[in-house]
Amino acid sequence: MSPLPPRPPLKIAFVASERPEAEQARGRLAARYGSVSPAAADVIVALGGDGFMLETLHDNLERRTPVFGMNRGSVGFLMNDFEEDHLLERLAVAGHTVIHPLQMDAWDADGAVHSGLAINEVSLLRQTCQSAKLRIWIDDTVRLEELICDGCMVATAAGSTAYNLSAHGPIIPLDARILALTPISAFRPRQWRGALLSHEARVRFDVLEPEKRPVSATADSFEVRRVTRVDVRERRDLALTMLFDASRSFEERVLAEQFNS
């Protein structure tokens, strides 16, 4: 039997945030391991914080190349520890975490529709000192006739430890196939704490009194102002892959976060 041909070397694209320590790390790693463009890469190594990881994933929506993050920023929940040695070995045994983004379709006051994708959450926020008034539909049924609040969001499991957690929403295991519907500073009904929804649920927000109480809608960093209606659903046809060190998977991070004081 003839021996198997050797595997071609792994093609890595190193990308970095604008932080000096991230840019410097990219230069050293590219010199050591070689670097190609993201379009030609087998894997993308993102150097920065969680915000830059989200930016890299958004930039990679069409290619869907796996992304391995290393923390060179201020927040690193989505990142692996930074270490210049043994990178190829780490990539070879890294665990794969697949996430599906949310689709946001937002109608503005002029009737135009704006669409965006969110890896973490779609959030609605009041634009002025006036509280927002929202009506919430789930799968074509009105579930909350009027929510008076600073805002409301739909968060993915991957995003449940981000803004959603800060708004006292639940942390969701990645394999739960659940979305979190979480109010932001609810005033009426004051005791409403949100809901857990099937990942197949279709959520619709109607903005009540939009002229008096203007509201913006944001899909991660894509913002639409003066919205009158926002529809949110999961895009199962889009799959993004994050890579994590085998010793500390993303699932383990989410579980551990629930026991942090």
Side-chain angles (χ1 to χ4, degrees):
M1 179 182 295
S2 59
L4 294 175
R7 283 186 179 181
L10 190 68
K11 293 181 290 186
I12 305 174
F14 291 99
V15 296
S17 70
E18 296 179 353
R19 295 173 68 103
E21 55 268 43
E23 290 281 6
Q24 293 162 10
R26 178 176 64 175
R28 294 193 303 270
L29 289 165
R32 182 169 180 176
Y33 296 100
S35 183
V36 300
S37 70
D42 299 315
V43 62
I44 297 171
V45 173
L47 303 163
D50 285 353
F52 185 69
M53 181 64 163
L54 291 177
E55 181 182 325
T56 303
L57 289 168
H58 276 283
D59 290 343
N60 194 49
L61 278 169
E62 295 298 325
R63 294 185 296 268
R64 307 186 193 183
T65 308
V67 180
F68 182 87
M70 287 201 289
N71 190 19
R72 292 282 83 187
S74 56
V75 179
F77 188 80
L78 299 177
M79 314 301 276
N80 298 284
D81 292 337
F82 179 75
E83 173 58 58
E84 296 185 19
D85 296 331
H86 311 298
L87 177 59
L88 296 180
E89 291 84 351
R90 292 170 72 186
L91 292 174
V93 298
H96 291 58
T97 295
V98 177
I99 57 176
H100 302 281
L102 299 175
Q103 170 88 30
M104 177 187 81
D105 298 307
W107 284 256
D108 67 21
D110 298 321
V113 183
H114 308 266
S115 297
L117 293 172
I119 295 166
N120 270 0
E121 74 278 317
V122 171
S123 57
L124 283 74
L125 293 169
R126 63 183 176 95
Q127 289 183 208
T128 68
C129 59
Q130 294 275 10
S131 295
K133 283 189 177 182
L134 306 174
R135 178 178 296 126
I136 301 177
W137 303 65
I138 309 295
D139 295 330
D140 301 320
T141 299
V142 175
R143 293 296 181 181
L144 197 55
E145 189 67 39
E146 182 179 272
L147 172 65
I148 304 176
C149 57
D150 280 355
C152 195
M153 77 180 77
V154 180
T156 66
S160 66
T161 58
Y163 190 14
N164 172 73
L165 182 59
S166 298
H168 307 291
I171 295 176
I172 303 171
L174 284 176
D175 58 357
R177 295 195 171 192
I178 286 174
L179 302 175
L181 177 63
T182 302
I184 303 168
S185 300
F187 180 68
R188 291 285 188 275
R190 193 181 297 273
Q191 299 303 316
W192 189 64
R193 294 292 181 262
L196 292 174
L197 308 175
S198 164
H199 72 103
E200 297 179 335
R202 292 172 289 110
V203 183
R204 169 179 163 182
F205 298 95
D206 289 337
V207 179
L208 309 179
E209 303 179 29
E211 293 298 324
K212 180 182 179 182
R213 304 170 184 272
V215 170
S216 67
T218 304
D220 285 348
S221 59
F222 172 68
E223 183 184 35
V224 182
R225 297 180 71 80
R226 298 171 57 242
V227 296
T228 59
R229 170 181 168 178
V230 177
D231 289 2
V232 184
R233 61 185 174 88
E234 187 184 64
R235 290 286 303 272
R236 297 295 293 183
D237 58 316
L238 294 179
L240 300 169
T241 302
M242 293 187 294
L243 302 179
F244 292 93
D245 282 322
S247 59
R248 191 158 181 258
S249 68
F250 191 61
E251 290 80 357
E252 167 60 26
R253 296 167 194 233
V254 171
L255 180 61
E257 188 69 22
Q258 296 177 75
F259 293 89
N260 284 341
S261 58

